[in-house]
Each structure stands twice: as C-alpha cells, then as structure tokens.
Amino acid sequence: MRISMYILGINAYHGDAAAALVCDGRLIAAAEEERFNRFKHSAGFPAQAIRYCLEAAGIGPEELDHVGVSRDPSAHLHKKILFAATRVASEGIFNQIKDRLGNAAKVRDLKDELARVFGVSKKVLRARFHNIEHHRAHLASCFFVSPFERAALLSIDGFGDFISTMWALGEGNSIDVLGQVEYPHSTGIVYTATTQFLGFPYYGDEGKVMGLAPYGRPRFIAEFRDIIRTEENGQFRLNLDYFRHHAEGVEMTWDEGSPVIGRVFSDEYAHVFGPPRAAGAPLSDRERDIAASLQLRLEEVCFHILNHLHEKTGLTDLGLAGGVAYNSVMNGKILLNTPFKRLFIQPAAGDSGTALGVCYQIYNTILKGQRTEVMLGAYTGPEFKAEAIESALLASNLRFESYSDEALTNRAAQDIAAGLVVGWFQGRMEFGPRALGNRSIVVDPRRAEMKDILNDRIKKREPFRPFAPSILEERVADYFEQTHPAPTMLMVYQIKEERRGEIPAVTHVDGSGRLQTVSREVNARYYQLISDFGALTGVPVVLNTSFNENEPIVCTPQQAIDCFQKTKMDVLYLANYAIRRQ
Ligand SMILES: [Fe+2]
C-alpha cells in the first residue's frame, strides 16, 4: 500500500496569516486565518486555518511529513547586520530590528507552537520543519500551480526577509532566481506610504487608492519619478528622503488581530504635496491626482522590471505574485506594455499565498516531486453539507425554501434581474481576497443605482470605489477590449465603449472593469447562474461583490445568515436553500 505524503505550509506572524495543505502534490486545502478568527488580515499564528487544513485532509498533526513557514530568519543575514551596523545610532531602527528578531525567534519555535495548538507533545510531531524564504515562497506559489512548464516569474511586495522584489526563471520543478531588490527599496512601501498620506490608515487600504486613481490626472508624475528611480538591469531605488522606515524604523504589529503599521512617509511628502489628508476628510483633486500619479509610476516601474525579465528569459509566459500583484489595474496593462502573452496569478497572490508556495517549494524543489496541480480556481476553503446548512437555517427560525439544481439558478437569476440584492453561498470558500461566486453578493449590473443600493444597505464603502463584473468566459470579447482570462478577478480591462451603458453598475469612471471570467469547468454553479441571467436579460454579466459587511468574508452558513439578518439583503441562497426578507 502506498503511503501518502502530507506537507503543511503556513504564513505566520505576518499580515494575512494562512495555512495550506498538500498531499502527494495535490492541493487539499488552503485558507486565511481571518476567516476563522474574524480579524481582517489577521497576523499571528494561523491556528484555526491549520486545524481546518488537517480536518479537510482527515489527518492529525502526527501524520504530517513536512511543515514549512514562509520566513527564513537566516536569509540575507549578513545584509541585515550590515544595515543595522551602519545605523546603530538610531534607536528606532534598533528597536525595529529587535522586534523582528523576537518575531524570528517565534518562527524558529514553529514546532512548539504547533504542538501547543493541538495539545500534543513535541515528540509526536515527526515532520521535518523548513524555513522557506519569503519571496521564494511567493515565486513557488505562482509557478508550481501554474499551467506553464517554463515561465518568467516576478514577486513584488512591501518586504519579506529583507527583499521587496525578486525575479526568476521557472522550469519544470526548479526556480532559478535572476535578480532582486533589497531593503529599503520597495514599490509596495511607496504605495503604502502614499496610501497613509492620503488618509487611508488601515492595513490593506492600498486598493482604495487604486480605485481613486482613475478620478485624477497624473500631474505629480515628475515627483513620483523622483521618489522611485529606475536603474539598469530591472533595478530601482527609492529617494529615501521621503521615507521613515530605513532611518527611524516604523512600528509594526504582527500579533493576533489585524496588523498595524506606523507612519512610513517622512515630512518630505508634506514639503512637496502639502499637508497629509486626515482620515475621513473630504477628498479633493490633489488627493485624486496624487493617487493617479502613484498608480502611473507603479505601472512604469513594474513594466521596467518586466521588460528586463523578458530580455533575460526570452519567455512570453509570466507568473506574478506578492502584495503588489493585487494591483489589478497594473496587471491588466501588463500584456499591453510588455512582450508577455500569458499571465498567471494565483488567487492568493499576496502573503497568504506564501503558505501555498511553501508547500510546493518543499514538494517540487526540495523533494523533487513531479508537478501535478494546476490551480484554476480559488475554491480550497471550508464547505458545508446540506445537513449543516439545514440545521443552521432551522436554528435561525427563518422560513426557508429549497430548490432543485435547475430551479435554483433560474430563480436566483430572476431575483437578480428584478433588482434584488442576492446573497450567494455555495460550495468551498475562496482562498485570497476575492469572492469568486461561492461567498458572493450578486446584483444586476444593468441598474446604475445598484452601486448606491449596495453601499447604503450592506457594504458602506467609499462611494468612489468600483464594483466588479463576473462574465461568462466565452463572452469576454463582446464586452472587453482584452480577452486573456481573468478567473481570479485580478485584471482590470477597458469595457468596450458601446457596452458601458449596458452595464453601468460595474463600469468604473474611466470605463474599466475588474472582471472575473467564469467557465463551467472552474465553477459550474456560478456559470449556470450567470448563464440563466444572460438568457433572461441578454446580458451574460452580473455584479459580484464579496459576502461581508465590513468584516472578513463570511465562512460558515451561520455567518451568512447573520449577515443577511444584519443587513438589508433581499434573498440569501445557501446551497439549494433560500431565505427571503419578509
Ligand atoms: Fe509578501
């Protein structure tokens, strides 16, 4: 009898803590800790996500063969020491390094922590433990589950293990690093600093600035070209006068709960742009224009790196990962501004995805396993059986109906077409920040007013932020200027001018849309829903927003029912059941 080999990968003591589990090269489960402990972008140790992964595999911790974390305290150690030694006069930077060393000690005690979570003795754990450098985990996450045999790879984020950017050539089961950009230079840190300056203080607020950018003109592009300067060989450097992280250090909290990052921008920002905007203050053209300039500069720098990467590799297939790979506006322009022809971005491109990368770095590179997994969707989280859903419904005391498979999507499509706000809870929860039709709220994109209705009744988001369309994959060319599939909703394309009036609720101010292309192969039920909506209305597109009310996306049927009751959602479909607002 063949014995299976289990690998657990985790991202811990860093934003978006997560766990992933691979068995004989197959991805069994992956999820973010925030979905279980209900703190957005939760850091700390992903105890509940690990528990879920083991349950999904039906094993105990003693059956794990390998466990890895996406952090290697010893990586680039000489550079860290050199950097600290040259700045020893600054107390802030000393404290920052001390904090990170404390954090590194926790990473080393991974085995203790795992034993503690499961209440077992350390001796029971027979797994081999690994530290996988942060960016190598990112690179592994976008290559080993891609459809590419060979590909150029780019990992780009704030920082991880003292590196902000790493590019490589992936081939078969190995990844060859070709170049990197080191601390304190980082495109991600510029985006975070500017996001803070613009009055959006929370971890993960960068997406808001990306949404604001199309309202502005890039009239500060010269300033941003001074802030990030490109150099030869794909390199770039920051003008450090604008930043605090390298000189004084920046407070960062990576314990249980949402991460907190102190002020990154220096007083130089105010010298150049005027005073920072206070959170909640009205937005003016200045903020819109700063956002537009920042976005344009990020794109320029990214294309600069990618053009170099193409020159080095001669390849036209690209894998992209790292927090900056959540910049879907930038992603949507890559195929237009570089020689790359195909682009793969796995759904958890940011730090949670390093948990997945750790598994495959161990499986493919360390153990030389053969590649077997292509990640087409994002559906690796918890799912709930009909009995569990029915008992949650019964406990809620709400009246519910049940439908056959065919009647279900048909009826839901009618509800959407009638202008109702529809909760759509199906199958396995998504990995990564996007709801992709299993934990979604779905409404009619033809009705311009749906944006305000969603914001008033449920989402309470800033009015400038766009909502996204899900479209049948084979109809993309009818509605969008580009057709490369975007199954994980990480590409923004221009909507064809003549179609914009047809789907106003998902058309951003600049005529763009952050689309999800939906195929039957990847999500049959969601495909059927959009198909039925298309048959009814002639429009094969729905508006898809995540199932939550300013909190992490719902995970369980109970949380979905709670959200339905708290908000003014009209109907909630849970598997084949539905509850309606009376
Ligand atoms: Fe990262």
Side-chain angles (χ1 to χ4, degrees):
M1 192 182 86
R2 187 167 181 275
I3 294 170
S4 294
M5 187 185 52
Y6 293 98
I7 305 173
L8 174 71
I10 64 173
N11 173 41
Y13 310 114
H14 204 82
D16 295 313
L21 195 130
V22 163
C23 173
D24 299 333
R26 290 272 168 213
L27 179 57
I28 304 297
E32 281 104 350
E33 185 71 2
E34 66 157 27
R35 305 297 167 84
F36 303 97
N37 74 8
R38 312 306 295 160
F39 291 106
K40 264 190 178 179
H41 303 294
S42 181
F45 190 76
Q48 297 185 65
I50 294 171
R51 228 175 246 291
Y52 153 67
C53 285
L54 295 188
E55 269 167 32
I59 61 169
E62 66 286 353
E63 287 167 86
L64 290 167
D65 298 281
H66 296 269
V67 177
V69 63
S70 56
R71 174 84 62 78
D72 185 356
S74 64
H76 316 293
L77 198 59
H78 60 290
K79 284 174 191 142
K80 290 176 196 170
I81 290 166
L82 194 69
F83 189 84
T86 56
R87 284 162 179 80
V88 80
S90 160
E91 197 186 327
I93 198 78
F94 179 74
N95 285 337
Q96 189 182 3
I97 285 170
K98 207 174 68 185
D99 284 356
R100 292 311 281 176
L101 286 176
N103 200 318
K106 283 191 209 159
V107 172
R108 278 196 298 273
D109 293 338
L110 187 59
K111 195 169 184 176
D112 289 320
E113 197 69 17
L114 201 62
R116 190 186 61 77
V117 163
F118 286 95
V120 297
S121 149
K122 247 164 70 168
K123 287 186 217 126
V124 175
L125 302 174
R126 57 179 183 84
R128 233 177 95 193
F129 283 74
H130 306 259
N131 285 100
I132 305 294
E133 194 207 340
H134 186 84
H135 282 276
R136 285 180 191 262
H138 272 312
L139 293 172
S141 81
C142 74
F143 181 56
F144 293 127
V145 295
S146 79
F148 307 139
E149 173 57 25
R150 292 181 84 209
L153 309 172
L154 173 64
S155 168
I156 179 165
D157 68 7
F159 291 110
D161 282 330
F162 225 58
I163 302 290
S164 74
T165 314
M166 189 180 271
W167 53 91
L169 170 69
E171 184 161 17
N173 55 7
S174 71
I175 291 175
D176 183 17
V177 173
L178 302 174
Q180 63 188 30
V181 178
E182 291 153 18
Y183 188 94
H185 306 288
S186 158
T187 53
I189 211 80
V190 177
Y191 220 96
T192 299
T194 312
T195 297
Q196 293 175 338
F197 179 81
L198 293 176
F200 303 102
Y202 297 113
Y203 190 86
D205 274 353
E206 289 81 357
K208 297 183 184 177
V209 173
M210 185 184 76
L212 183 64
Y215 292 91
R217 288 183 306 114
R219 68 180 158 109
F220 298 111
I221 189 64
E223 287 80 351
F224 277 93
R225 285 183 184 143
D226 178 50
I227 293 175
I228 319 183
R229 301 165 185 182
T230 49
E231 298 187 335
E232 285 183 1
N233 294 322
Q235 292 288 323
F236 64 85
R237 290 180 77 76
L238 302 190
N239 179 343
L240 293 171
D241 294 346
Y242 286 87
F243 304 97
R244 294 177 66 237
H245 63 287
H246 61 99
E248 300 158 60
V250 171
E251 294 279 306
M252 297 187 189
T253 309
W254 301 114
D255 298 328
E256 310 284 321
S258 299
V260 179
I261 300 204
R263 182 164 67 89
V264 180
F265 62 90
S266 77
D267 294 341
E268 193 62 19
Y269 260 76
H271 291 151
V272 173
F273 300 114
R277 169 183 172 262
L283 283 163
S284 71
D285 281 346
R286 181 192 71 142
E287 284 83 32
R288 297 180 190 106
D289 293 348
I290 291 173
S293 311
L294 166 74
Q295 178 64 30
L296 176 59
R297 187 58 182 151
L298 174 73
E299 292 165 11
E300 289 178 350
V301 174
C302 180
F303 304 151
H304 161 76
I305 303 166
L306 288 174
N307 284 317
H308 167 75
L309 179 55
H310 169 75
E311 249 172 56
K312 289 295 259 190
T313 60
L315 298 177
T316 54
D317 287 339
L318 174 67
L320 196 62
V324 176
Y326 283 146
N327 195 300
S328 48
V329 173
M330 174 189 89
N331 298 345
K333 295 177 184 171
I334 287 176
L335 302 183
L336 302 175
N337 289 277
T338 71
F340 290 105
K341 300 256 182 292
R342 292 196 298 173
L343 176 53
F344 177 80
I345 314 174
Q346 59 85 8
D351 288 332
S352 56
T354 62
L356 175 81
V358 162
C359 292
Y360 284 100
Q361 183 72 5
I362 294 170
Y363 183 73
N364 292 118
T365 300
I366 299 176
L367 304 175
K368 308 281 182 230
Q370 287 308 301
R371 292 174 58 185
T372 47
E373 182 79 31
V374 177
M375 196 172 179
L376 294 173
Y379 312 103
T380 58
E383 67 181 330
F384 298 86
K385 293 200 163 75
E387 304 85 76
I389 292 170
E390 207 174 303
S391 60
L393 285 165
L394 287 168
S396 74
N397 277 327
L398 293 165
R399 229 166 56 93
F400 61 91
E401 306 141 13
S402 72
Y403 296 94
S404 68
D405 289 352
E406 204 191 321
L408 177 83
T409 51
N410 232 302
R411 181 67 203 270
Q414 285 172 29
D415 290 338
I416 295 165
L420 301 186
V421 176
V422 173
W424 189 249
F425 181 104
Q426 306 289 339
R428 297 187 74 174
M429 184 181 73
E430 298 87 346
F431 187 38
R434 303 273 87 90
L436 298 171
N438 281 8
R439 299 289 185 278
S440 290
I441 295 171
V442 183
V443 302
D444 188 344
R446 300 170 304 160
R447 298 165 183 263
E449 71 277 13
M450 287 319 296
K451 248 183 98 162
D452 291 336
I453 290 175
L454 278 174
N455 270 328
D456 290 348
R457 287 166 54 177
I458 297 166
K459 305 289 287 191
K460 319 271 191 303
R461 304 199 318 189
E462 294 82 352
F464 62 81
R465 293 172 64 192
F467 285 101
S470 296
I471 179 167
L472 298 184
E473 191 173 80
E474 63 274 20
R475 298 295 304 277
V476 176
D478 297 339
Y479 284 82
F480 287 87
E481 300 283 356
Q482 295 182 78
T483 54
H484 185 288
T488 52
M489 209 188 250
L490 289 172
M491 309 275 259
V492 171
Y493 296 155
Q494 286 294 304
I495 298 171
K496 288 193 163 168
E497 212 159 334
E498 66 273 21
R499 292 290 194 175
R500 291 176 192 171
E502 199 180 300
I503 46 173
V506 292
T507 303
H508 201 16
V509 62
D510 60 349
S512 68
R514 188 187 66 199
L515 73 166
Q516 175 196 3
T517 56
V518 182
S519 63
R520 196 186 290 282
E521 186 191 9
V522 174
N523 191 334
R525 182 162 276 192
Y526 194 44
Y527 180 92
Q528 195 57 48
L529 175 67
I530 304 170
S531 216
D532 289 354
F533 181 79
L536 209 59
T537 63
V539 177
V541 183
V542 295
L543 182 158
N544 170 12
T545 188
S546 52
F547 198 140
N548 58 347
E549 181 208 19
N550 223 341
E551 44 154 17
I553 296 174
V554 299
C555 176
T556 65
Q558 187 57 55
Q559 286 159 0
I561 294 167
D562 288 348
C563 186
F564 170 81
Q565 290 191 294
K566 268 192 295 184
T567 64
K568 292 176 182 149
M569 205 178 288
D570 295 302
V571 201
L572 166 57
Y573 288 89
L574 291 143
N576 286 50
Y577 302 93
I579 44 182
R580 287 169 191 279
R581 192 157 298 281
Q582 302 297 318

